[in-house]
Amino acid sequence: MTAPAPAEPTDPKAEGGQSATPGDPDDTGQGTDEKSAQREEAPPQRAWDTLRDIDRHAPASARFTGRNNGVVAGEITGNVTRTEHHYYGASGPTRTSGEVPAAELDRLALTFVSDGTPFEELLEQLREERVLVLTGVPFTGRRTAALMLLRRAGATPVHAIDRETPPSALLQQLTKGEAPGHVLCDLVTSRDEPLRETHLLSLRDHLLKHGGHLVITTGLRPWIEDDVRTRMWEAPRTDVLLRSRLERRTGEATARRLLELAEVREFLPRAHQPREVVAYAAELMRLASGEISEEALRDTSAELLNEQVREWFEADEDTLHLREKAFLIALAAFDAGPYALTAELSDLLFQELQATANSNLPKAVPVFGTHIAHRLRTARARPYPAREMTEWGPVEQLMAEFLDSRTAFVLLREVWTGHPSARPALVSWLGELIVDGRPFVRTRAAATVGALAFTDLPSAMALVIEPWAVSRNPLQRVGAVSSLALAHRVGAPNILRIADDWTADSDPRLSWVGIRERPREALAALRVQARKQYDPEKRGPLESELAQSVELLLLSPEAEDVLSEVLRTLDDHRSVFRISVSGFLGACRHTEEESGLPLVLRTYRQARLDSTPAAHGIPRLWRAALDDPSFTTEALDVLRGWVLAADRDEDTSWALADLLPKLVDGATAAHRIGHLLHTVRGDDGGPRPAAADDLLTALHRA
């Protein structure tokens, strides 16, 4: 197959509407010939717009310059990533009946914390109604709360009932034990055998006659009829539980000192489960006694998170449904993004995972049934309102994010390396997302691939990035660029080497991706490629991309150094001249998002104030553009935009008035600029801007 050349750029505003339909295959031959042709002919997103989307929509851990402050910088990826500490015991519920030892009840009572919980209300309800049904997220201490409620109600000894006892057989279980207290933890119900009010009425009658009490605990989405009254159990706040634990074991003064540690202050807001708080408290006490260091304590926090993520994906379908696991993965990709979008795209992943689990079953997604509050509690995430930046301006959205900012990366690593069977579904899902019409979705898909590349670069390259890089679909090629850029930002190894190799590759598609990913370090390679692409009669297939790389560099923080390098080789070869001037004019078109003022003119103004080389370099590039017949028309059009901007802003007007005389290197240039200022009209043919006369005065004074 002949490698298609990347197409010429068009209006970036049209980019979103030209994306392939999500789920529409690219290279599989499943689409029509017409669709394939449209995909091949569609122009790629301009480099500046790709960078804008990355900066605007990348997850917080990948937004930085210089020092890596993301969660992958030693905080999660150190020597704890493969450590098997197991700070707490088996998480599965007990499956046998029998009496709960009195010693266990006494031990739990010593450390049980009810502050900030509805414990007293629940106790009153239990005493009055004799039967209490507690629902809640796993590992929030429901079993402990149930046992403490029975103990405080005086219903001891406590008889534990097998969780798989069907609701219709519960009454028989009560008659078998002589203990006044009964507890059934994690009741198993089903569509065919839900817990009904009639069950509770018969149980209540029996308990009233025999002076007993029963507490049933269950998850967030059990099969329970609507007329059954349930109560939600919420665990104590992490800080309350940790303080109580420490004060009982170390004393108030030592507890206060430990709670003031920076590492502990980072631990507290993450809403940990009680069992994790207990494990962490034990490590804090070891720190207080000098057994471990603060670095080891930091590893403890990371390993607690690792174990939670592993439990999510090791859980069976009854404990955590495949749809909820898909939501967890989607939330990792779209952390701190719109909840509705995350839920929508998680169902696409759920369908892919379904097909992997059983390809004979038709793909199906329940339309209703998952409550946002329940789903986010399970994911240990929070909803919050925020303004999201879109192509049409900021809009109000309900966002969702993990309570622990490290979760997203840890979760993606666990899925990619710990459960390879999920890879085909994940790769297919990411392939759909990278051609989505929404820049936020595309950027987060690329960021997800970047995280996978950090975790396992060879697999991410072979399964995702390389196929995207040689795709006919321009959005997938841009996705490969963004994935490499974001992988490099989070510290994935060898990304620069890959970009360098691809820049010099004979395949123009790989070369295009390499140029996009690493323009600064590839300046020499850009010039080499420019010579390869040079044709005096027409533009080469990559010339536009080479110019866009120069454009990005001239707008980067290293603009001064780049400008010097561009000027040094401006007259080296006609091909180098063309990409340099074209890139310069492209940079001159960009404006600040809020003010609409030209970025390069702002750079020139600052250079004049600081007396830096750019004060001479920018006029030189302008003269080169105005004097060359291939660029004169484009240069005058850009200059017209600057005149309109000068009419709106006094500082811009000053900078342009200072610059224009430096562009006049002869009568021809003076005539061109003077004619522009005499004939310039406002936007949409509006009146001639007043600034034009001031600029003419400045020009004539030169």
PDB file of all heavy atoms in Angstrom, residues 311-333:
ATOM      1  N   GLU A 311      -7.819  -5.446  44.495  1.00  0.00           N
ATOM      2  CA  GLU A 311      -9.071  -6.059  44.957  1.00  0.00           C
ATOM      3  C   GLU A 311     -10.220  -5.772  44.006  1.00  0.00           C
ATOM      4  O   GLU A 311     -11.065  -6.630  43.756  1.00  0.00           O
ATOM      5  CB  GLU A 311      -9.414  -5.559  46.359  1.00  0.00           C
ATOM      6  CG  GLU A 311      -8.639  -6.239  47.451  1.00  0.00           C
ATOM      7  CD  GLU A 311      -9.148  -5.856  48.828  1.00  0.00           C
ATOM      8  OE1 GLU A 311     -10.083  -5.027  48.912  1.00  0.00           O
ATOM      9  OE2 GLU A 311      -8.621  -6.381  49.817  1.00  0.00           O
ATOM     10  N   TRP A 312     -10.274  -4.553  43.471  1.00  0.00           N
ATOM     11  CA  TRP A 312     -11.346  -4.213  42.534  1.00  0.00           C
ATOM     12  C   TRP A 312     -11.380  -5.195  41.371  1.00  0.00           C
ATOM     13  O   TRP A 312     -12.445  -5.673  40.980  1.00  0.00           O
ATOM     14  CB  TRP A 312     -11.144  -2.804  42.004  1.00  0.00           C
ATOM     15  CG  TRP A 312     -11.678  -1.727  42.882  1.00  0.00           C
ATOM     16  CD1 TRP A 312     -12.690  -1.826  43.797  1.00  0.00           C
ATOM     17  CD2 TRP A 312     -11.234  -0.365  42.934  1.00  0.00           C
ATOM     18  NE1 TRP A 312     -12.907  -0.615  44.413  1.00  0.00           N
ATOM     19  CE2 TRP A 312     -12.033   0.294  43.900  1.00  0.00           C
ATOM     20  CE3 TRP A 312     -10.255   0.361  42.260  1.00  0.00           C
ATOM     21  CZ2 TRP A 312     -11.873   1.648  44.195  1.00  0.00           C
ATOM     22  CZ3 TRP A 312     -10.098   1.703  42.557  1.00  0.00           C
ATOM     23  CH2 TRP A 312     -10.893   2.335  43.512  1.00  0.00           C
ATOM     24  N   PHE A 313     -10.228  -5.485  40.814  1.00  0.00           N
ATOM     25  CA  PHE A 313     -10.204  -6.282  39.592  1.00  0.00           C
ATOM     26  C   PHE A 313     -10.071  -7.782  39.849  1.00  0.00           C
ATOM     27  O   PHE A 313     -10.235  -8.584  38.927  1.00  0.00           O
ATOM     28  CB  PHE A 313      -9.099  -5.771  38.664  1.00  0.00           C
ATOM     29  CG  PHE A 313      -9.403  -4.401  38.140  1.00  0.00           C
ATOM     30  CD1 PHE A 313      -8.819  -3.286  38.703  1.00  0.00           C
ATOM     31  CD2 PHE A 313     -10.317  -4.225  37.121  1.00  0.00           C
ATOM     32  CE1 PHE A 313      -9.124  -2.011  38.257  1.00  0.00           C
ATOM     33  CE2 PHE A 313     -10.636  -2.957  36.660  1.00  0.00           C
ATOM     34  CZ  PHE A 313     -10.038  -1.851  37.228  1.00  0.00           C
ATOM     35  N   GLU A 314      -9.799  -8.155  41.081  1.00  0.00           N
ATOM     36  CA  GLU A 314      -9.820  -9.576  41.435  1.00  0.00           C
ATOM     37  C   GLU A 314     -11.190 -10.012  41.927  1.00  0.00           C
ATOM     38  O   GLU A 314     -11.465 -11.209  42.027  1.00  0.00           O
ATOM     39  CB  GLU A 314      -8.775  -9.851  42.524  1.00  0.00           C
ATOM     40  CG  GLU A 314      -7.328  -9.722  42.030  1.00  0.00           C
ATOM     41  CD  GLU A 314      -6.330  -9.795  43.171  1.00  0.00           C
ATOM     42  OE1 GLU A 314      -6.781  -9.909  44.329  1.00  0.00           O
ATOM     43  OE2 GLU A 314      -5.117  -9.718  42.914  1.00  0.00           O
ATOM     44  N   ALA A 315     -12.062  -9.041  42.217  1.00  0.00           N
ATOM     45  CA  ALA A 315     -13.385  -9.360  42.757  1.00  0.00           C
ATOM     46  C   ALA A 315     -14.233 -10.084  41.720  1.00  0.00           C
ATOM     47  O   ALA A 315     -14.141  -9.823  40.515  1.00  0.00           O
ATOM     48  CB  ALA A 315     -14.086  -8.071  43.200  1.00  0.00           C
ATOM     49  N   ASP A 316     -15.099 -10.993  42.197  1.00  0.00           N
ATOM     50  CA  ASP A 316     -15.987 -11.701  41.279  1.00  0.00           C
ATOM     51  C   ASP A 316     -17.148 -10.797  40.880  1.00  0.00           C
ATOM     52  O   ASP A 316     -17.312  -9.691  41.372  1.00  0.00           O
ATOM     53  CB  ASP A 316     -16.489 -13.007  41.900  1.00  0.00           C
ATOM     54  CG  ASP A 316     -17.219 -12.777  43.230  1.00  0.00           C
ATOM     55  OD1 ASP A 316     -17.825 -11.700  43.418  1.00  0.00           O
ATOM     56  OD2 ASP A 316     -17.191 -13.681  44.080  1.00  0.00           O
ATOM     57  N   GLU A 317     -17.972 -11.300  39.949  1.00  0.00           N
ATOM     58  CA  GLU A 317     -19.056 -10.490  39.401  1.00  0.00           C
ATOM     59  C   GLU A 317     -20.104 -10.132  40.448  1.00  0.00           C
ATOM     60  O   GLU A 317     -20.737  -9.083  40.363  1.00  0.00           O
ATOM     61  CB  GLU A 317     -19.722 -11.239  38.239  1.00  0.00           C
ATOM     62  CG  GLU A 317     -18.869 -11.304  36.987  1.00  0.00           C
ATOM     63  CD  GLU A 317     -18.624  -9.928  36.393  1.00  0.00           C
ATOM     64  OE1 GLU A 317     -19.561  -9.362  35.803  1.00  0.00           O
ATOM     65  OE2 GLU A 317     -17.508  -9.414  36.537  1.00  0.00           O
ATOM     66  N   ASP A 318     -20.301 -11.019  41.441  1.00  0.00           N
ATOM     67  CA  ASP A 318     -21.277 -10.711  42.477  1.00  0.00           C
ATOM     68  C   ASP A 318     -20.815  -9.556  43.363  1.00  0.00           C
ATOM     69  O   ASP A 318     -21.629  -8.784  43.866  1.00  0.00           O
ATOM     70  CB  ASP A 318     -21.535 -11.953  43.355  1.00  0.00           C
ATOM     71  CG  ASP A 318     -22.280 -13.041  42.593  1.00  0.00           C
ATOM     72  OD1 ASP A 318     -23.004 -12.699  41.641  1.00  0.00           O
ATOM     73  OD2 ASP A 318     -22.122 -14.224  42.950  1.00  0.00           O
ATOM     74  N   THR A 319     -19.507  -9.457  43.546  1.00  0.00           N
ATOM     75  CA  THR A 319     -18.969  -8.403  44.396  1.00  0.00           C
ATOM     76  C   THR A 319     -18.844  -7.083  43.639  1.00  0.00           C
ATOM     77  O   THR A 319     -19.229  -6.024  44.143  1.00  0.00           O
ATOM     78  CB  THR A 319     -17.592  -8.823  44.949  1.00  0.00           C
ATOM     79  OG1 THR A 319     -17.726 -10.059  45.648  1.00  0.00           O
ATOM     80  CG2 THR A 319     -17.042  -7.758  45.881  1.00  0.00           C
ATOM     81  N   LEU A 320     -18.298  -7.130  42.431  1.00  0.00           N
ATOM     82  CA  LEU A 320     -18.139  -5.930  41.608  1.00  0.00           C
ATOM     83  C   LEU A 320     -18.384  -6.319  40.152  1.00  0.00           C
ATOM     84  O   LEU A 320     -17.589  -7.021  39.537  1.00  0.00           O
ATOM     85  CB  LEU A 320     -16.738  -5.325  41.773  1.00  0.00           C
ATOM     86  CG  LEU A 320     -16.532  -3.949  41.153  1.00  0.00           C
ATOM     87  CD1 LEU A 320     -17.433  -2.911  41.837  1.00  0.00           C
ATOM     88  CD2 LEU A 320     -15.075  -3.514  41.243  1.00  0.00           C
ATOM     89  N   HIS A 321     -19.489  -5.839  39.606  1.00  0.00           N
ATOM     90  CA  HIS A 321     -19.914  -6.216  38.260  1.00  0.00           C
ATOM     91  C   HIS A 321     -18.926  -5.705  37.211  1.00  0.00           C
ATOM     92  O   HIS A 321     -18.239  -4.702  37.398  1.00  0.00           O
ATOM     93  CB  HIS A 321     -21.310  -5.652  37.990  1.00  0.00           C
ATOM     94  CG  HIS A 321     -21.966  -6.244  36.783  1.00  0.00           C
ATOM     95  ND1 HIS A 321     -21.836  -5.693  35.531  1.00  0.00           N
ATOM     96  CD2 HIS A 321     -22.747  -7.340  36.641  1.00  0.00           C
ATOM     97  CE1 HIS A 321     -22.519  -6.421  34.660  1.00  0.00           C
ATOM     98  NE2 HIS A 321     -23.082  -7.420  35.311  1.00  0.00           N
ATOM     99  N   LEU A 322     -18.872  -6.415  36.083  1.00  0.00           N
ATOM    100  CA  LEU A 322     -17.981  -6.030  34.992  1.00  0.00           C
ATOM    101  C   LEU A 322     -18.247  -4.601  34.527  1.00  0.00           C
ATOM    102  O   LEU A 322     -17.325  -3.866  34.164  1.00  0.00           O
ATOM    103  CB  LEU A 322     -18.146  -7.001  33.818  1.00  0.00           C
ATOM    104  CG  LEU A 322     -17.240  -6.767  32.602  1.00  0.00           C
ATOM    105  CD1 LEU A 322     -15.781  -6.921  32.987  1.00  0.00           C
ATOM    106  CD2 LEU A 322     -17.595  -7.730  31.476  1.00  0.00           C
ATOM    107  N   ARG A 323     -19.500  -4.187  34.553  1.00  0.00           N
ATOM    108  CA  ARG A 323     -19.826  -2.813  34.135  1.00  0.00           C
ATOM    109  C   ARG A 323     -19.183  -1.795  35.064  1.00  0.00           C
ATOM    110  O   ARG A 323     -18.728  -0.730  34.613  1.00  0.00           O
ATOM    111  CB  ARG A 323     -21.340  -2.617  34.124  1.00  0.00           C
ATOM    112  CG  ARG A 323     -21.766  -1.299  33.493  1.00  0.00           C
ATOM    113  CD  ARG A 323     -23.256  -1.087  33.595  1.00  0.00           C
ATOM    114  NE  ARG A 323     -23.682   0.088  32.863  1.00  0.00           N
ATOM    115  CZ  ARG A 323     -24.858   0.682  33.021  1.00  0.00           C
ATOM    116  NH1 ARG A 323     -25.739   0.187  33.893  1.00  0.00           N
ATOM    117  NH2 ARG A 323     -25.184   1.751  32.316  1.00  0.00           N
ATOM    118  N   GLU A 324     -19.123  -2.107  36.354  1.00  0.00           N
ATOM    119  CA  GLU A 324     -18.502  -1.180  37.298  1.00  0.00           C
ATOM    120  C   GLU A 324     -16.983  -1.188  37.154  1.00  0.00           C
ATOM    121  O   GLU A 324     -16.327  -0.161  37.373  1.00  0.00           O
ATOM    122  CB  GLU A 324     -18.915  -1.527  38.725  1.00  0.00           C
ATOM    123  CG  GLU A 324     -20.412  -1.434  38.970  1.00  0.00           C
ATOM    124  CD  GLU A 324     -20.998  -0.128  38.443  1.00  0.00           C
ATOM    125  OE1 GLU A 324     -20.470   0.946  38.794  1.00  0.00           O
ATOM    126  OE2 GLU A 324     -21.972  -0.174  37.666  1.00  0.00           O
ATOM    127  N   LYS A 325     -16.417  -2.322  36.773  1.00  0.00           N
ATOM    128  CA  LYS A 325     -14.978  -2.351  36.506  1.00  0.00           C
ATOM    129  C   LYS A 325     -14.656  -1.515  35.274  1.00  0.00           C
ATOM    130  O   LYS A 325     -13.640  -0.802  35.237  1.00  0.00           O
ATOM    131  CB  LYS A 325     -14.509  -3.793  36.316  1.00  0.00           C
ATOM    132  CG  LYS A 325     -14.603  -4.623  37.592  1.00  0.00           C
ATOM    133  CD  LYS A 325     -14.265  -6.087  37.342  1.00  0.00           C
ATOM    134  CE  LYS A 325     -14.445  -6.904  38.622  1.00  0.00           C
ATOM    135  NZ  LYS A 325     -14.253  -8.350  38.427  1.00  0.00           N
ATOM    136  N   ALA A 326     -15.526  -1.577  34.266  1.00  0.00           N
ATOM    137  CA  ALA A 326     -15.348  -0.727  33.088  1.00  0.00           C
ATOM    138  C   ALA A 326     -15.430   0.743  33.477  1.00  0.00           C
ATOM    139  O   ALA A 326     -14.672   1.582  32.965  1.00  0.00           O
ATOM    140  CB  ALA A 326     -16.401  -1.066  32.034  1.00  0.00           C
ATOM    141  N   PHE A 327     -16.345   1.074  34.389  1.00  0.00           N
ATOM    142  CA  PHE A 327     -16.459   2.467  34.837  1.00  0.00           C
ATOM    143  C   PHE A 327     -15.193   2.906  35.560  1.00  0.00           C
ATOM    144  O   PHE A 327     -14.731   4.045  35.388  1.00  0.00           O
ATOM    145  CB  PHE A 327     -17.669   2.632  35.756  1.00  0.00           C
ATOM    146  CG  PHE A 327     -17.794   4.015  36.322  1.00  0.00           C
ATOM    147  CD1 PHE A 327     -18.261   5.059  35.543  1.00  0.00           C
ATOM    148  CD2 PHE A 327     -17.410   4.280  37.630  1.00  0.00           C
ATOM    149  CE1 PHE A 327     -18.354   6.344  36.059  1.00  0.00           C
ATOM    150  CE2 PHE A 327     -17.504   5.554  38.155  1.00  0.00           C
ATOM    151  CZ  PHE A 327     -17.977   6.587  37.373  1.00  0.00           C
ATOM    152  N   LEU A 328     -14.619   2.042  36.374  1.00  0.00           N
ATOM    153  CA  LEU A 328     -13.382   2.388  37.067  1.00  0.00           C
ATOM    154  C   LEU A 328     -12.268   2.719  36.074  1.00  0.00           C
ATOM    155  O   LEU A 328     -11.521   3.690  36.248  1.00  0.00           O
ATOM    156  CB  LEU A 328     -12.941   1.238  37.967  1.00  0.00           C
ATOM    157  CG  LEU A 328     -13.751   1.016  39.245  1.00  0.00           C
ATOM    158  CD1 LEU A 328     -13.387  -0.331  39.871  1.00  0.00           C
ATOM    159  CD2 LEU A 328     -13.521   2.143  40.231  1.00  0.00           C
ATOM    160  N   ILE A 329     -12.152   1.917  35.006  1.00  0.00           N
ATOM    161  CA  ILE A 329     -11.122   2.172  33.993  1.00  0.00           C
ATOM    162  C   ILE A 329     -11.395   3.492  33.286  1.00  0.00           C
ATOM    163  O   ILE A 329     -10.484   4.295  33.047  1.00  0.00           O
ATOM    164  CB  ILE A 329     -11.074   1.014  32.981  1.00  0.00           C
ATOM    165  CG1 ILE A 329     -10.692  -0.293  33.694  1.00  0.00           C
ATOM    166  CG2 ILE A 329     -10.083   1.317  31.863  1.00  0.00           C
ATOM    167  CD1 ILE A 329     -10.839  -1.532  32.830  1.00  0.00           C
ATOM    168  N   ALA A 330     -12.667   3.728  32.934  1.00  0.00           N
ATOM    169  CA  ALA A 330     -13.014   4.981  32.268  1.00  0.00           C
ATOM    170  C   ALA A 330     -12.749   6.181  33.174  1.00  0.00           C
ATOM    171  O   ALA A 330     -12.275   7.225  32.724  1.00  0.00           O
ATOM    172  CB  ALA A 330     -14.481   4.955  31.834  1.00  0.00           C
ATOM    173  N   LEU A 331     -13.032   6.035  34.466  1.00  0.00           N
ATOM    174  CA  LEU A 331     -12.778   7.126  35.398  1.00  0.00           C
ATOM    175  C   LEU A 331     -11.280   7.396  35.511  1.00  0.00           C
ATOM    176  O   LEU A 331     -10.859   8.557  35.657  1.00  0.00           O
ATOM    177  CB  LEU A 331     -13.364   6.801  36.772  1.00  0.00           C
ATOM    178  CG  LEU A 331     -13.291   7.909  37.829  1.00  0.00           C
ATOM    179  CD1 LEU A 331     -13.978   9.173  37.340  1.00  0.00           C
ATOM    180  CD2 LEU A 331     -13.916   7.438  39.136  1.00  0.00           C
ATOM    181  N   ALA A 332     -10.463   6.354  35.409  1.00  0.00           N
ATOM    182  CA  ALA A 332      -9.015   6.559  35.410  1.00  0.00           C
ATOM    183  C   ALA A 332      -8.576   7.353  34.184  1.00  0.00           C
ATOM    184  O   ALA A 332      -7.682   8.196  34.260  1.00  0.00           O
ATOM    185  CB  ALA A 332      -8.296   5.210  35.463  1.00  0.00           C
ATOM    186  N   ALA A 333      -9.211   7.084  33.042  1.00  0.00           N
ATOM    187  CA  ALA A 333      -8.875   7.817  31.816  1.00  0.00           C
ATOM    188  C   ALA A 333      -9.388   9.246  31.847  1.00  0.00           C
ATOM    189  O   ALA A 333      -8.728  10.167  31.365  1.00  0.00           O
ATOM    190  CB  ALA A 333      -9.437   7.078  30.602  1.00  0.00           C
TER     191      ALA A 333
END
